[in-house]
Amino acid sequence: MVKVSPRGASRLKDGHVWVYRSDIVSAAGVSSGSPVMVTDHRGQILGTALYSSSSQIAVRLISRDPVADFPALLRQRIADAIAYREPLVHDSNAYRIIFSEADFLPGLIVDRYNNILSMQILTQAMDAEPVRGTLLSELTERLHPASIVERVDPRVRQLEELPARASGLLQGESTSTVFTMNGVQFQFDALEGQKTGAFLDQRENYAAAARYAHGEALDVFCYQGGFALHLAPRCSHVAGVDSSRPALEVADQNAILNHCDIEWIEASAFDLLKDYSGSGQRYDTIVLDPPAFAKSKRDLDAAMRGYKELNLRALKTLRPGGTLVTCSCSYHVSQGDFLEMLAGAARDAHRTLRLVEVRGQAKDHPVLLNIPETAYLKCVIAIVSN
Ligand code: SAH
C-alpha cells in the first residue's frame, strides 16, 4: 500500500495519474513489479498504481478501482487501445498502438510498422518478466505480427534502475519492412544501422500539409523525408534539408521507392535559411519541423528564440500566397506560446499570416485532457498574404 500526501491525493482526484516522490507519505514494503493500492493520508482508497522505487514519478495510477487480476487488466487495456484506433487511422499500416498513460498503460509504448511491432518499456512495473509475457502474448494474439522488436532507451533504464538490456528481437525473425502511411511508402529497419521509420505523430499533419502545398517546396529538418515525400505529388519541385547524412540516405531510398524526384540538401537549417532569406531565394511552401528545442522548462527562453529565428527566416523566404507549415514537438512550449512566437515572427518579417489550421499530434497519440503531459506536438499551417 502507498500512502500519498493531500497534494498527491488532490492531483489524482483532479484526473491526473502521477504522484511525485515528494508526495509519497509511505511506501514501506511495496514491490515495483506488481500493482499497489494507493490511499490518501486518511486511508481512503484512490485507486491502483504501478510503483517505481527510483523515478521521480513514483506512482502512476493504472485504475481508479482495486485490481484483482492484473494480467486480465493488461489484456483488456491492449484490446481497448487497438479498438480505439480502428475508426481513427486510415490508409496507413504504421501508427502507435499503445501510448503509455494516454492508453491507461503507463510506461508502455507500442508502434506498428506494417507487420513489425516495436515495443518500448519505460518503467519497472512494465519490465517485470510476467508482465512482459502477458504483453507479448496479447499483442501476438490480437495483431499476429511477423515479429516484435524491443527498442531500449538506455537512459530510461538507468533512471528506473533496471539492468542494462540491448535492443533486439523479442519474437519472430524479420526486422525490416516497408510500411505505408497515407499511401506513401517508407523503409523501416528496426535494428540495422540507424533506426528508420517516420514520425508517426505527424501522420495526419503530413496529409494536411500536402493539401496546402504548391509550387516550389522546402522541407526543413526533413529527416527521412516524411513531409517531403507527401508534398512531392503536389509540388513542382521539392527539396529536403537535414544536417544528418544517414537520414538523407534513407530519405533518398524512400524517394526512389515512391518514384519521386526530390533534392536532398545536407546543411544546417539555420545557416541555409539565413542564406536563402538574404540572397533572394524564394519558395511557395516551407515546412519547419525541428527537434525539440526545449527539453526542459529551463530551456524555454532559448527555445523560443530558436523557433522565432527559424520562422522569421522562413517567412522572409516565402512568396506571397505561400504556405508555412511550422511545428514544435516541445511539450514545454504551449500552443499559446507557439502562436505568440509566430505572430512576433510575422510582425518582424512584415508579413501578414492567415491561419488555416492549428493542429496537434495524430489521433493515435491520444491527448488526455486532464494530463497535460500527453499533449506535446503543435503544427500550424498558415498562408502568407503579402
Ligand atoms: N520532419 C521529420 C522529423 C524531423 S526530426 C519527419 O517528419 O520525419 C528533426 C530532424 O532535425 C532530425 O532529422 C535531425 O537530424 C535534424 N536536425 C537537427 N538539428 C538540425 C540543424 N541544425 N539543421 C538541420 N537539421 C537538423
Side-chain angles (χ1 to χ4, degrees):
M1 188 121 73
V2 174
K3 197 177 271 190
V4 302
S5 70
R7 191 172 60 174
S10 70
R11 200 172 158 78
L12 294 180
K13 285 178 186 160
D14 286 345
H16 211 295
V17 294
W18 292 350
V19 178
Y20 291 103
R21 185 150 309 281
S22 53
D23 286 318
I24 303 294
V25 175
S26 72
V30 166
S31 102
S32 51
S34 49
V36 293
M37 199 83 99
V38 181
T39 73
D40 68 9
H41 65 294
R42 292 196 207 91
Q44 190 200 341
I45 293 173
L46 299 169
T48 308
L50 304 180
Y51 181 77
S52 167
S53 61
S54 65
S55 168
Q56 276 313 305
I57 306 169
V59 154
R60 295 167 197 257
L61 212 63
I62 191 162
S63 172
R64 302 263 161 196
D65 299 308
V67 171
D69 185 344
F70 184 43
L73 178 76
L74 291 174
R75 288 180 185 280
Q76 187 58 48
R77 291 277 155 85
I78 292 173
D80 291 347
I82 293 168
Y84 181 76
R85 284 149 176 82
E86 263 161 29
L88 300 181
V89 180
H90 308 283
D91 306 321
S92 302
N93 59 19
Y95 52 93
R96 181 151 290 184
I97 288 173
I98 295 170
F99 188 24
S100 201
E101 278 81 0
D103 284 296
F104 318 108
L105 286 165
L108 178 67
I109 291 178
V110 180
D111 292 329
R112 174 182 169 197
Y113 295 93
N114 185 17
N115 56 1
I116 296 180
L117 297 183
S118 165
M119 178 161 110
Q120 216 182 353
I121 284 178
L122 307 167
T123 54
Q124 292 172 357
M126 288 294 173
D127 196 56
E129 267 322 311
V131 173
R132 282 175 168 270
T134 306
L135 300 176
L136 286 186
S137 78
E138 190 63 21
L139 287 167
T140 303
E141 224 166 274
R142 299 249 161 219
L143 299 165
H144 312 290
S147 51
I148 302 182
V149 174
E150 179 173 6
R151 229 179 79 214
V152 173
D153 181 338
R155 213 181 65 90
V156 169
R157 288 191 75 85
Q158 224 172 15
L159 288 175
E160 285 285 303
E161 291 175 1
L162 291 167
R165 206 184 155 102
S167 292
L169 269 171
L170 297 175
Q171 202 169 286
E173 280 167 15
S174 73
T175 56
S176 66
T177 186
V178 170
F179 66 83
T180 306
M181 198 184 253
N182 308 310
V184 177
Q185 294 192 301
F186 290 85
Q187 309 266 4
F188 177 71
D189 198 321
L191 296 177
E192 291 294 316
Q194 199 203 15
K195 189 193 157 289
T196 59
F199 280 79
L200 300 180
D201 52 5
Q202 292 280 28
R203 179 176 48 85
E204 295 169 358
N205 297 330
Y206 292 150
R211 289 198 288 275
Y212 302 96
H214 59 102
E216 291 179 82
L218 187 64
D219 176 5
V220 186
F221 304 97
C222 65
Y223 185 55
Q224 295 170 355
F227 279 99
L229 293 159
H230 281 81
L231 303 188
R234 305 294 186 105
C235 295
S236 54
H237 178 258
V238 179
V241 182
D242 204 281
S243 56
S244 158
R245 172 166 287 279
L248 293 178
E249 279 166 9
V250 181
D252 196 43
Q253 289 169 27
N254 284 335
I256 293 166
L257 198 61
N258 290 280
H259 313 289
C260 294
D261 193 11
I262 299 175
E263 179 191 354
W264 305 109
I265 304 169
E266 185 185 341
S268 150
F270 286 90
D271 294 348
L272 191 92
L273 282 176
K274 192 170 170 192
D275 182 27
Y276 283 180
S277 63
S279 70
Q281 172 94 354
R282 294 293 173 257
Y283 283 91
D284 302 291
T285 302
I286 296 182
V287 178
L288 299 175
D289 184 20
F293 288 158
K295 295 244 161 53
S296 74
K297 247 192 208 150
R298 255 190 342 217
D299 307 331
L300 196 59
D301 285 349
M304 294 318 293
R305 282 195 298 277
Y307 287 120
K308 181 151 177 205
E309 161 155 10
L310 281 177
N311 282 275
L312 177 75
R313 302 255 181 235
L315 286 171
K316 286 186 171 169
T317 306
L318 278 167
R319 294 194 179 104
T323 301
L324 176 70
V325 179
T326 179
C327 310
S328 163
C329 57
S330 301
Y331 158 68
H332 297 285
V333 176
S334 69
Q335 193 190 84
D337 295 337
F338 193 63
L339 287 171
E340 201 179 303
M341 173 283 300
L342 190 57
R347 198 173 48 233
D348 292 0
H350 308 292
R351 309 305 297 264
T352 302
L353 270 188
R354 288 171 166 166
L355 283 187
V356 285
E357 299 212 16
V358 178
R359 309 176 56 88
Q361 62 227 40
K363 296 181 198 71
D364 48 322
H365 294 62
V367 172
L368 286 186
L369 217 42
N370 291 312
I371 307 184
E373 291 83 354
T374 55
Y376 62 95
L377 185 62
K378 277 80 48 196
C379 173
V380 174
I381 306 181
I383 294 177
V384 177
S385 59
N386 64 345

